[in-house]
Amino acid sequence: MNTNENRLSRWYFGGLASAGAACCTHPLDLLKVHLQTQQEGKISIVRNTINIIRYQGVLALYNGLSASLLRQLTYSTTRFGIYEVVKQNMTKPGEPLPFYKKVMFAAAAGSAGGFVGTPADMVNVRMQNDIKIPKDQRRNYKHAVDGLWRVYRTEGINRLFAGASTATCRAALMTVGQLSMYDQIKQTLLHTSYFVDNLVTHFTSSLLAGAIATTMTQPLDVLKTRTMNARPGEYKSIFHLIMVTAKLGPLGFFKGYVPAFVRLGPHTILTFVLFEQLRQRFGFLPPKKE
């Protein structure tokens, strides 16, 4: 048997893979944020892209990239690290981990990652949304660390965790949709005679996991984005935010779904393809139990 198939990932592989994927998909994430923060009117993703390039330049599509990378290195490293370490320690040789345990571990890991990554996520949302507002109202963060420091200094440490509740819930669902579903789909495919542990299997599993994760998380993603981008006092509570969003109708909770999937699909695929390459080339063989 190919030893590459037996190699285990190191705890930090997920964070590195996610950061690499973010470099490719950041413009799509930026467009998603723009659509989600619209309260009135309907501007298509194509029109949004044209407007940004026309008035701000191509590089404006990468506004907030430093915050996006910081978010992946905190959020994704935490959730992948916890999930992989727990899964490796709980799996018995020759016995695949039951699906319900994968879901439980993924939900717990995602919750931890969502909370840890909230400050970087909030700065990411603000930096991406800056080009939409008048110049005299822009925050103009130089980079992610500058954004974190300025929020802490002017708005307090509590503001750094604005939207932490929705971010944590979303991250739990996202991790269930991505990690546990990816593992389960990959396991199912490998049990057939049509798939082996290669790029085709990784691509297929990650594409399906990305579609599932997008559908599960979109309503919370909209609420999280609005909370993080709001000015102090704009929303009295999470219920107030839900009521304001509900005025747009049921589809208001799925605003930006297409760019969210267009972004999350490739991001999920790139993340797991990079993750599997790291595992196969730099992973370690499980210790032999006597």
Side-chain angles (χ1 to χ4, degrees), residues 138-202:
R138 292 179 184 175
R139 300 177 176 97
N140 294 318
Y141 300 146
K142 297 177 183 177
H143 45 72
V145 176
D146 176 58
L148 291 173
W149 171 247
R150 286 172 58 184
V151 172
Y152 168 74
R153 188 180 61 186
T154 61
E155 301 177 50
I157 192 170
N158 288 340
R159 189 61 183 170
L160 284 172
F161 290 90
S165 57
T166 51
T168 299
C169 292
R170 174 190 177 275
L173 292 174
M174 177 67 74
T175 308
V176 169
Q178 283 184 325
L179 273 65
S180 62
M181 291 304 301
Y182 174 83
D183 274 351
Q184 192 64 31
I185 293 169
K186 177 185 170 185
Q187 177 184 312
T188 302
L189 294 179
L190 291 178
H191 281 170
T192 71
S193 59
Y194 304 102
F195 292 88
V196 294
D197 194 4
N198 61 11
L199 183 61
V200 174
T201 301
H202 304 158

Side-chain angles (χ1 to χ4, degrees), residues 16 44 55 60 94 115-116 130 150 233 244 259:
L16 293 178
S44 68
Y55 298 112
F115 183 79
V116 170
D130 229 19
R150 286 172 58 184
V244 171

Side-chain angles (χ1 to χ4, degrees), residues 222-282:
V222 171
L223 296 177
K224 173 187 71 74
T225 299
R226 284 176 169 266
T227 300
M228 291 179 171
N229 194 57
R231 299 198 175 277
E234 184 174 349
Y235 300 115
K236 298 176 182 178
S237 65
I238 185 66
F239 299 104
H240 180 217
L241 172 59
I242 292 172
M243 293 303 296
V244 171
T245 306
K247 291 180 180 178
L248 300 171
L251 293 181
F253 292 97
F254 288 88
K255 209 166 190 181
Y257 182 87
V258 172
F261 176 71
V262 170
R263 174 257 174 188
L264 188 59
H267 185 274
T268 303
I269 292 169
L270 287 170
T271 295
F272 282 109
V273 167
L274 291 173
F275 177 80
E276 293 285 9
Q277 292 301 309
L278 288 171
R279 178 183 66 82
Q280 291 181 348
R281 285 166 172 73
F282 304 105

